[in-house]
Amino acid sequence: MRWQPRRFKSAGIVLAIGLFWLVAAWPTNWGVAALGTVPGVVLIATGAGQLLWAGDRQLCCHMALAGPLSSLLALILIYWLGLWPGVGLIIGGAAVFMVAGWALRIQHPVPAGVAPPPTQPRLLAKMACDAAVLGFFINCARVPRGAAVDNDIAELNAIGEVAAERDWANFPARLHGAAAPFESPRIEPMRTFGVDYEWLTAPSRYTPDPALPGGVRWRGHKNNRTMAARILRHGEGRGRPWLLCVHGYRMGVAGLDFQLFDVARLHAHLGLNLVMPILPLHGVRRATPLTGGLFLDGPFADLLHGQAQSLCDLRSCIAWIREIDPDARIGVLGYSLGGYHAALLAAHEPALACVIAGIPMTDIPATLWQHLPTAHAHYLEARGLSAAAVGERLAAVSPLAAEPCVPRERRYIFAATADQLIAPEQPLALWRHWGEPALQWYHGSHLSVRHEPDVRSFIDRALAESGMRG
């Protein structure tokens, strides 16, 4: 964090653009005036808030989201707004976006010992992209209150009692059991976005423990009962390394996953066989119209089921690979939420050739509390629900609470110094917990990871060192 200004003067630009929206839209017809009032009010609110009370990340997220949306709206309404006012508002939306990035850069904390990201327009834009997506997530998320909080408290207390009784902290296998391949998997050829692959589906082996609360609710997600994965392999797959590619939150759809993992490069250029599992409640397994809904914003007890089923399904993928190719080297590469599960696999699959945790979330409750609206966070804490209390109940599915069994030299982490979705303290905590293995910081954001050359070279080095080059 560079410094914390008493008043963030650059927010005056945002305030002025919000006022300009009202001035430009109101003299037109009532429809344009109504539409123009929306970005005008949002920009006035976020600009004035940052100008007078600098430091609220929620304001920055909504500012970053409103900027490009207001430019798009100005482009649509330019006929009625007039050429020059419309062009001014389009440029103004871009300015709002950059002001949001600048505000985030000032307020962004970087842990001691980590080089702070440089203040460059390109980096500010990357940070603003993170914030815009975060603003979208925040507005889509369920925030518990009233009876839902009472239910969360009761279920978390029940989880704590079961965890203590069965001593999951010291014996996590009592919760997770042994890995087993899929039963009667179905594999069929598919082609999406010009990529040929095999589509594997099979019943998920995860069955909620009857002693745990929320099991009936979790089983009620019918699509989620079937595990699915995309497979790209050379011939029958034998004789080549396999890479398990674990996607992030709100992903699990072909277009996003193929782009994130650069399947053409990993599969064709590096010669790897790829397995791309779809995490619970994502993609075709979703329970809401938007992929990933209810995975992190459902009842708190479902966080346990979500992580436990993810681990079960991923281990089934590994067991399936070993069943069809017993001598294969198997590595794991995960991004964000996928980095969480890659780190969790490192505590349960000792024979993995490597585990690469990219921009990993490592503390789910801390992440949720970081992005909760301030009033809601205070409300939950007043009711006895804190990030620490929730984390204590979820220790059995936390990578920071389990000792890794993959050797230190086969563990790798990369993280972003300007990450707005996952606090840099989280990958740093995993690095310490893992005994300080290879760690690559890059000056970029969460969403820019796919385009960072430092990340690509780091992944290449990790694969080469662990014998994972096809």
Side-chain angles (χ1 to χ4, degrees):
M1 181 181 295
R2 291 170 61 88
W3 76 89
Q4 182 56 60
R6 173 66 179 84
R7 303 189 193 281
F8 183 58
K9 297 178 182 178
S10 298
I13 298 173
V14 180
L15 176 59
I17 295 169
L19 291 171
F20 186 38
W21 260 106
L22 303 185
V23 171
W26 282 2
T28 62
N29 61 68
W30 66 267
V32 173
L35 289 172
T37 297
V38 176
V41 169
V42 173
L43 296 178
I44 289 170
T46 57
Q50 277 291 326
L51 179 64
L52 299 175
W53 307 289
D56 191 315
R57 286 175 51 84
Q58 296 277 332
L59 291 175
C60 290
C61 291
H62 286 85
M63 186 187 297
L65 181 60
L69 291 180
S70 69
S71 289
L72 178 60
L73 183 61
L75 181 62
I76 294 171
L77 301 179
I78 196 168
Y79 175 81
W80 296 275
L81 294 170
L83 178 60
W84 295 115
V87 170
L89 289 172
I90 292 171
I91 296 173
V96 167
F97 187 70
M98 296 304 293
V99 169
W102 171 234
L104 291 163
R105 175 63 189 90
I106 291 174
Q107 298 164 191
H108 181 64
V110 178
V114 177
T119 303
Q120 299 172 340
R122 185 177 179 183
L123 183 66
L124 301 185
K126 292 177 180 180
M127 298 178 79
C129 282
D130 270 13
V133 170
L134 186 55
F136 174 73
F137 287 170
I138 290 170
N139 282 288
C140 293
R142 160 196 175 270
V143 179
R145 51 191 179 273
V149 175
D150 294 334
N151 185 65
D152 280 336
I153 292 172
E155 291 188 342
L156 285 172
N157 287 338
I159 287 174
E161 292 172 1
V162 174
E165 176 186 336
R166 301 186 180 181
D167 198 13
W168 286 342
N170 295 313
F171 302 99
R174 294 176 181 175
L175 168 65
H176 301 298
F182 306 112
E183 289 185 359
S184 306
R186 179 180 178 181
I187 300 176
E188 53 187 327
M190 297 282 284
R191 181 179 177 85
T192 307
F193 296 111
V195 178
D196 293 307
Y197 60 94
E198 296 171 282
W199 180 247
L200 182 152
T201 55
S204 172
R205 283 187 166 274
Y206 179 74
T207 301
D209 190 316
L212 290 174
V216 173
R217 178 178 62 238
W218 189 259
R219 288 290 295 170
H221 301 312
K222 294 182 180 180
N223 294 337
N224 192 48
R225 299 175 191 170
T226 301
M227 171 22 180
R230 298 180 179 89
I231 301 168
L232 291 87
R233 53 180 163 175
H234 297 268
E236 295 183 353
R238 293 179 179 273
R240 291 177 180 264
W242 289 77
L243 186 64
L244 192 69
C245 302
V246 192
H247 65 75
Y249 181 52
R250 299 288 190 187
M251 298 186 68
V253 294
L256 293 176
D257 294 357
F258 289 164
Q259 193 274 340
L260 175 64
F261 288 100
D262 193 0
V263 295
R265 180 170 170 276
L266 289 177
H267 178 60
H269 180 64
L270 298 185
L272 299 172
N273 295 319
L274 307 181
V275 177
M276 307 179 72
I278 297 175
L279 293 175
L281 299 187
H282 286 76
V284 296
R285 308 177 68 180
R286 64 185 180 272
T288 63
L290 186 63
T291 178
L294 299 180
F295 191 91
L296 295 181
D297 62 341
F300 283 126
D302 287 4
L303 290 172
L304 180 69
H305 294 298
Q307 316 318 318
Q309 183 171 25
S310 296
L311 181 63
C312 177
D313 291 346
L314 295 175
R315 296 183 75 193
S316 288
C317 286
I318 293 171
W320 174 78
I321 294 170
R322 289 180 175 142
E323 184 178 60
I324 64 169
D325 194 0
D327 299 323
R329 297 182 69 81
I330 304 172
V332 180
L333 169 62
Y335 289 83
S336 191
L337 179 62
Y340 181 101
H341 291 107
L344 201 56
L345 278 170
H348 296 275
E349 293 288 339
L352 291 172
C354 66
V355 175
I356 309 171
I359 47 173
M361 180 190 306
T362 60
D363 188 334
I364 288 176
T367 301
L368 297 179
W369 255 255
Q370 177 188 354
H371 301 313
L372 270 176
T374 304
H376 285 289
H378 291 165
Y379 168 73
L380 294 178
E381 288 164 2
R383 298 291 306 277
L385 276 182
S386 65
V390 176
E392 183 180 348
R393 305 304 195 279
L394 301 178
V397 290
S398 169
L400 297 181
E403 288 301 317
C405 55
V406 173
R408 176 181 173 277
E409 62 273 12
R410 301 209 299 264
R411 308 174 208 151
Y412 300 86
I413 303 169
F414 58 86
T417 60
D419 198 325
Q420 299 303 296
L421 276 71
I422 306 297
E425 288 85 353
Q426 294 206 25
L428 196 61
L430 180 65
W431 177 70
R432 293 183 181 123
H433 180 67
W434 272 7
E436 303 185 0
L439 168 62
Q440 175 69 54
W441 290 100
Y442 66 92
H443 289 317
S445 68
H446 199 81
L447 297 181
S448 74
V449 63
R450 168 67 177 78
H451 306 287
E452 300 291 347
D454 289 346
V455 171
R456 174 181 289 192
S457 60
F458 181 76
I459 292 174
D460 284 354
R461 177 166 66 86
L463 294 173
E465 290 178 352
S466 52
M468 284 289 295
R469 298 295 292 265

